[in-house]
Amino acid sequence: MTTEKDVFHLEAKNLRKLFSVKEGFFGHPKAIRALDGISIGVEKGTTLGIVGESGCGKTTLGRILCLLETPSEGTILYDGKEVQNLKGKKLKEFRREVQIIFQDPYASLDPRMTVSEILREPFIIHGEWKNDGQTRLLKLADKCGIAKSHLSRYPHEFSGGQRQRVGIARALALNPKLVVCDEPVSALDVSIQAQILNLLKDLQKELGLTYIFISHDFSVVRHLCDKIAVMYLGKIVEFALADEIFSNPQHPYTEALLSAIPLPDPEKQKQRSRIILSGDIPSPLSPPQGCSFHPRCRYAEDSCRRDVPLLKETSPNHQVACPVLPLDRAKISP
């Protein structure tokens, strides 16, 4: 998914993550492949979207990229330097550069701390509070839409959108260069989602931030991202520019996801044909052989059940992991 000419701010090469779980009380441990050979990169000042169903490995990927989890295999490069094995002082320095906004604003804030204490903590940990910490905190709160009068309150006194603003402010406290946004609006009302998305766009423009934006909602990703990677069962099945994904989806899974986005025009909504996927996403404990999507794919052939497809470039800046390409699908009746 990467080429030599690409210069990435953060890059992952062949990432794999295994979790050991038991089936039943007396069961033997089995390995779940949460990530299975992920290679991905994001350029400075851009936004990379990662989309897919729940359980496909999006959050695990995000946590590994900001070193909250350790990969079982693979390499993570930040500005060209390997970082996956950082410890101690060097890991602390990396945390200044790369931060994360968590999905749940109700669980990611300490209920025993006031907003002021939550925002003060990063400055204290990194030894930057004594000089101009209070001034920076007030500027940070104002930039993220947090009123000065709210700094003495506790998280339970706020709505979900206000709590997420606190989470965003905490992530930006030390002026990071890259922020992993792990479904930051999925727990919020639709009207509040728009406010938080606009805030993220404004902050990116003002501070020159790089985003990795994780979501299961294509309509949200379209609003924010320059490139999109579509994940299914721990693998990337399609990667392209955002406009290309929406205008020319080439993987059957991407086609199905896009067909589920409701249109604002009722007449157009009636006329469109919805692609209904059969069955459920397979268990990562026993993934299917060959292409992991073939049990739900209407175009599946014998080779799909046997061979694991690799990402191949079908056009400039567009890569797909599907052996049955669009020209061949046209000959197959769904």
Side-chain angles (χ1 to χ4, degrees), residues 46-295:
T46 66
T47 302
L48 171 66
I50 301 173
V51 297
E53 290 175 277
S54 296
C56 73
K58 305 186 302 295
T59 293
T60 299
L61 176 59
R63 291 178 65 84
I64 286 176
L65 291 176
C66 57
L67 303 188
L68 292 179
E69 298 272 0
T70 304
S72 303
E73 295 179 32
T75 305
I76 301 171
L77 301 171
Y78 180 73
D79 285 341
K81 298 178 181 178
E82 287 193 23
V83 296
Q84 71 273 9
N85 297 318
L86 292 181
K87 293 179 181 178
K89 185 178 179 181
K90 289 187 176 181
L91 177 59
K92 191 175 180 180
E93 291 172 356
F94 175 82
R95 293 266 163 79
R96 292 176 58 93
E97 300 280 316
V98 180
Q99 277 290 325
I100 184 170
I101 300 169
F102 294 98
Q103 176 178 358
D104 188 355
Y106 299 90
S108 60
L109 302 177
D110 191 331
R112 299 165 297 179
M113 298 172 70
T114 65
V115 172
S116 180
E117 291 170 334
I118 290 170
L119 298 184
R120 190 187 310 160
E121 191 173 33
F123 296 106
I124 294 173
I125 289 173
H126 288 267
E128 297 187 12
W129 179 253
K130 291 183 180 179
N131 298 328
D132 58 348
Q134 183 64 30
T135 303
R136 289 171 64 184
L137 188 151
L138 293 175
K139 288 182 179 179
L140 178 69
D142 180 63
K143 191 175 293 183
C144 294
I146 303 169
K148 187 176 180 180
S149 59
H150 291 171
L151 293 176
S152 59
R153 297 185 183 181
Y154 290 87
H156 74 270
E157 300 180 70
F158 295 100
S159 66
Q162 289 172 313
R163 292 185 204 189
Q164 198 59 290
R165 288 178 183 271
V166 176
I168 292 170
R170 179 179 60 184
L172 298 180
L174 297 170
N175 298 317
K177 303 295 188 298
L178 186 147
V179 180
V180 176
C181 306
D182 183 14
E183 303 214 35
V185 297
S186 64
L188 308 178
D189 293 339
V190 175
S191 59
I192 306 301
Q193 285 185 12
Q195 295 177 21
I196 298 300
L197 289 174
N198 288 331
L199 173 62
L200 289 172
K201 289 188 75 173
D202 292 342
L203 289 170
Q204 182 178 41
K205 186 176 180 180
E206 180 180 348
L207 304 175
L209 295 169
T210 303
Y211 286 147
I212 295 175
F213 194 90
I214 297 168
S215 180
H216 63 271
D217 189 338
F218 255 115
S219 57
V220 169
V221 171
R222 185 176 198 173
H223 184 68
L224 202 65
C225 299
D226 301 295
K227 292 183 178 180
I228 296 174
V230 182
M231 284 188 67
Y232 186 81
L233 213 63
K235 297 181 180 180
I236 292 175
V237 296
E238 186 162 6
F239 175 77
L241 297 172
D243 291 341
E244 180 75 6
I245 286 281
F246 282 91
S247 63
N248 184 30
Q250 296 192 9
H251 195 281
Y253 179 57
T254 310
E255 290 179 343
L257 290 179
L258 290 174
S259 78
I261 301 174
L263 297 177
D265 188 332
E267 292 303 319
K268 289 183 178 180
Q269 181 67 22
K270 289 179 184 178
Q271 295 170 9
R272 77 188 305 198
S273 57
R274 173 82 188 276
I275 300 173
I276 307 296
L277 295 177
S278 60
D280 297 318
I281 187 170
S283 169
L285 277 171
S286 54
Q289 291 185 340
C291 175
S292 57
F293 186 64
H294 86 256

